Amino acid sequence: SDRMTSDEARRLSVFEGNVIVRKGTILIRADRIAVRQDESGYQISTATGNPTRFRQKSEGKEEWIEGEALRIELDDRNEKIELRGRARLVRDKDEVRGDTIAVDTRTEFFSVSGGKSAVSAANPEGRVRSVIQPRARPEGGASAPATAPAAPRN
C-alpha cells in the first residue's frame, strides 16, 4: 500500500492507496483495506475501491473464483466473502452479477441479490444476471438422447 496505520489497542490496521494483499491463495486489490483482528486471532477485512477485486483458488480444484465490487468483506473465522455494490463473481466460465453476492468458501454456496447498484442501461430493474455454462458429462455417464414427444392422437 501507499500508507498504513495501526491501532494495536483496537486491533485495527488500515492500508490505503493501491493496496495489494496476498493470503494463501487469495489476492485482493483495493483502494483501502481495514483489517480488524478478534480476540482469537481471526481477521475480518473490509476492502473498498472502484472496484475492489479478489481472486481465490478453489480448495482441491484447479479452478479460480474471481470477483469485484465496490466493497468486499472477508470473514476468516466463518470463511465467508461478501461483495456489495455492483457485485460480480466469476467461477470457471459461470458469471453472476447483482447488488450483493454472499459466498461461503467452505461449501462453495453463494447467493445473489439484485438492487440499486445493479441498475444499468442494459439492466434498468437492477435484477440478478447470470450466465451458467453447461458442464461436460463424466466419461461413461452419457444419458440416452431425448426423444420427440408423441404425436397427439385424434
Side-chain angles (χ1 to χ4, degrees):
S1 67
D2 295 332
R3 293 172 301 287
M4 183 262 204
T5 58
S6 180
D7 182 343
E8 292 297 321
R10 293 176 44 205
R11 296 182 181 173
L12 174 67
S13 297
V14 177
F15 302 85
E16 295 177 296
N18 193 31
V19 182
I20 299 171
V21 176
R22 291 180 196 271
K23 185 175 183 179
T25 64
I26 194 165
L27 171 70
I28 304 166
R29 294 179 183 273
D31 295 335
R32 181 179 189 275
I33 296 181
V35 180
R36 185 174 305 276
Q37 189 167 348
D38 69 14
E39 310 80 40
S40 301
Y42 290 100
Q43 295 177 339
I44 297 172
S45 304
T46 302
T48 55
N50 193 16
T52 295
R53 294 182 170 94
F54 86 94
R55 184 173 196 238
Q56 183 175 24
K57 187 172 188 282
S58 296
E59 195 163 323
K61 298 179 183 176
E62 289 302 317
E63 181 177 276
W64 291 85
I65 297 172
E66 297 181 9
E68 66 180 40
L70 298 177
R71 177 184 179 109
I72 298 176
E73 296 179 11
L74 295 102
D75 180 345
D76 286 351
R77 175 186 296 271
N78 297 308
E79 297 182 43
K80 296 188 187 230
I81 301 171
E82 188 167 275
L83 295 85
R84 294 182 165 275
R86 296 194 327 242
R88 176 178 168 262
L89 185 73
V90 177
R91 183 175 59 184
D92 194 23
K93 294 176 182 140
D94 298 343
E95 177 180 353
V96 293
R97 292 175 181 260
D99 182 57
T100 304
I101 302 174
V103 181
D104 184 325
T105 58
R106 285 181 287 200
T107 62
E108 295 187 15
F109 174 84
F110 64 92
S111 63
V112 186
S113 300
K116 291 179 189 175
S117 78
V119 171
S120 68
N123 186 10
E125 299 89 20
R127 294 172 48 91
V128 171
R129 298 288 178 120
S130 63
V131 175
I132 301 173
Q133 300 295 327
R135 301 282 185 238
R137 294 187 181 162
E139 293 285 326
S143 61
T147 57
R153 295 182 186 186
N154 292 345

